[in-house]
Amino acid sequence: MNSKTLIIANWKMNPINWTNAKKLFDSVKKNLKKFENIKIVFCPPFIYLPLLSNSKSESTMNLSFGSQNCFWENEGAFTGEISVQMLKEFGVKYVIIGHSERRQFLNETDEMINKKIKAVLKSNLKPILCIGETKKQKKQNKTFKILRNQININLKSISNSNLKSKISNLIIAYEPIWAIGTGEPCNPQEAKKVFLFLKKIFPHNLILYGGSVTNENAVNYIRTGFNGLLVGGTSLDPKKFVNLIENVRKNL
Ligand code: PGA
């Protein structure tokens, strides 16, 4: 297991143009040398990936790139899709899989997510599997049942396949759906219960928290035990994002 704390910047479908994307990346990058115990992973829209990874310099070793999605086949007639091999060629090391926005807006199913996880593991990249419950499921006390079910289907037939030896590359992100982009983060005590539940299932994997993480609340999750954070909105504000990293660093 990688001992470095992971901070993933999920830019989603932002910023609106390349000039702003480059500006955002540069403003965070120039502050990165200070953060030796932390690995920052930028997950920009696909089209910005090669441009940004080309502009990464040697002095920023604690910086990596991830994509927000991938397809499970290597090549072929799959209009609009991008394979793991294509991502790998451009320096991508991490792939976010099963983000709730993809599950919700693109009808991505648990079975599709399972195929994607397998494709990423097979290529020796690190999948970041997003799991989480809705507000309604939480109110009905179904959080653990939902997570267990997502885990079972999303990781089906991996531990008894030739991918078993690669499973330590898997990263789990607990992202309660009701906390994503709402400004209503999960209470750290409740998040801790989920962390302990996941740690029992995945003792050798990194476990992240995501959902309305800010520079102010980030440390709460690190203190709780999480191995890192998946950050959406705050990662688009360079000042706040660098401050978030700094606050986490102070608490390691
Ligand atoms: P948020 O997004 O930080 O804006 O809530 C997190 C995510 O969707 O990964």
Side-chain angles (χ1 to χ4, degrees):
M1 190 169 89
N2 187 336
S3 59
K4 280 193 181 182
T5 300
L6 264 189
I7 298 183
I8 318 282
N10 177 12
W11 286 4
K12 309 191 180 185
M13 204 171 71
N14 298 296
I16 191 72
N17 57 40
W18 166 241
T19 309
N20 291 359
K22 181 82 170 75
K23 222 191 260 172
L24 170 59
F25 178 69
D26 286 343
S27 351
V28 179
K29 192 177 74 166
K30 70 172 188 251
N31 287 291
L32 278 183
K33 272 172 266 165
K34 296 185 242 161
F35 311 124
E36 277 143 23
N37 298 322
I38 301 182
K39 182 149 221 148
I40 317 293
V41 181
F42 286 88
C43 300
F46 283 129
I47 198 159
Y48 300 148
L49 263 171
L51 298 166
L52 290 178
S53 65
N54 272 345
S55 70
K56 178 188 160 187
S57 66
E58 282 307 307
S59 59
T60 49
M61 293 301 283
N62 52 349
L63 179 164
S64 301
F65 288 94
S67 71
Q68 301 171 17
N69 180 35
C70 71
F71 194 61
W72 57 81
E73 296 289 348
N74 246 343
E75 60 182 325
F78 304 103
T79 303
E81 295 299 328
I82 295 188
S83 77
V84 185
Q85 281 310 313
M86 294 170 186
L87 293 167
K88 206 171 167 176
E89 196 187 344
F90 285 96
V92 166
K93 299 267 189 293
Y94 297 80
V95 185
I96 298 174
I97 304 279
H99 190 282
S100 64
E101 286 151 14
R102 295 199 57 81
R103 295 181 191 250
Q104 184 188 346
F105 301 122
L106 283 308
N107 292 333
E108 204 163 283
T109 64
D110 283 314
E111 289 75 15
M112 288 157 77
I113 291 163
N114 177 242
K115 290 189 200 174
K116 293 183 179 196
I117 295 277
K118 286 176 177 163
V120 177
L121 286 175
K122 197 171 164 193
S123 302
N124 292 318
L125 266 62
K126 295 175 195 292
I128 303 168
L129 170 62
C130 300
I131 53 173
E133 82 287 1
T134 61
K135 188 88 173 180
K136 190 172 167 204
Q137 291 162 339
K138 179 180 157 60
K139 282 193 175 145
Q140 294 169 333
N141 282 324
K142 287 188 179 156
T143 300
F144 295 110
K145 190 175 163 215
I146 296 295
L147 296 180
R148 172 76 70 181
N149 192 48
Q150 287 172 341
I151 290 166
N152 284 347
I153 310 177
N154 296 166
L155 302 178
K156 196 173 171 198
S157 64
I158 290 181
S159 58
N160 53 8
S161 72
N162 55 1
L163 294 175
K164 188 181 174 186
S165 62
K166 303 189 177 186
I167 204 133
S168 60
N169 280 334
L170 172 72
I171 297 162
I172 305 286
Y174 170 53
E175 293 218 302
I177 297 168
W178 49 270
I180 296 177
T182 58
E184 190 193 338
C186 185
N187 159 326
Q189 278 79 43
E190 285 181 38
K192 184 170 188 170
K193 286 185 202 154
V194 176
F195 171 76
L196 294 173
F197 165 80
L198 294 173
K199 204 69 204 169
K200 260 194 198 144
I201 309 174
F202 302 102
H204 306 298
N205 296 79
L206 296 178
I207 299 177
L208 317 180
Y209 169 78
S212 294
V213 176
T214 64
N215 44 330
E216 278 146 21
N217 67 25
V219 291
N220 297 342
Y221 303 99
I222 300 300
R223 286 193 195 125
T224 295
F226 283 94
N227 308 108
L229 302 160
L230 184 40
V231 187
T234 304
S235 73
L236 298 173
D237 179 325
K239 258 201 189 136
K240 286 189 180 160
F241 189 55
V242 169
N243 184 237
L244 181 157
I245 300 166
E246 184 63 61
N247 290 343
V248 169
R249 191 189 61 85
K250 281 191 225 146
N251 273 273
L252 291 179

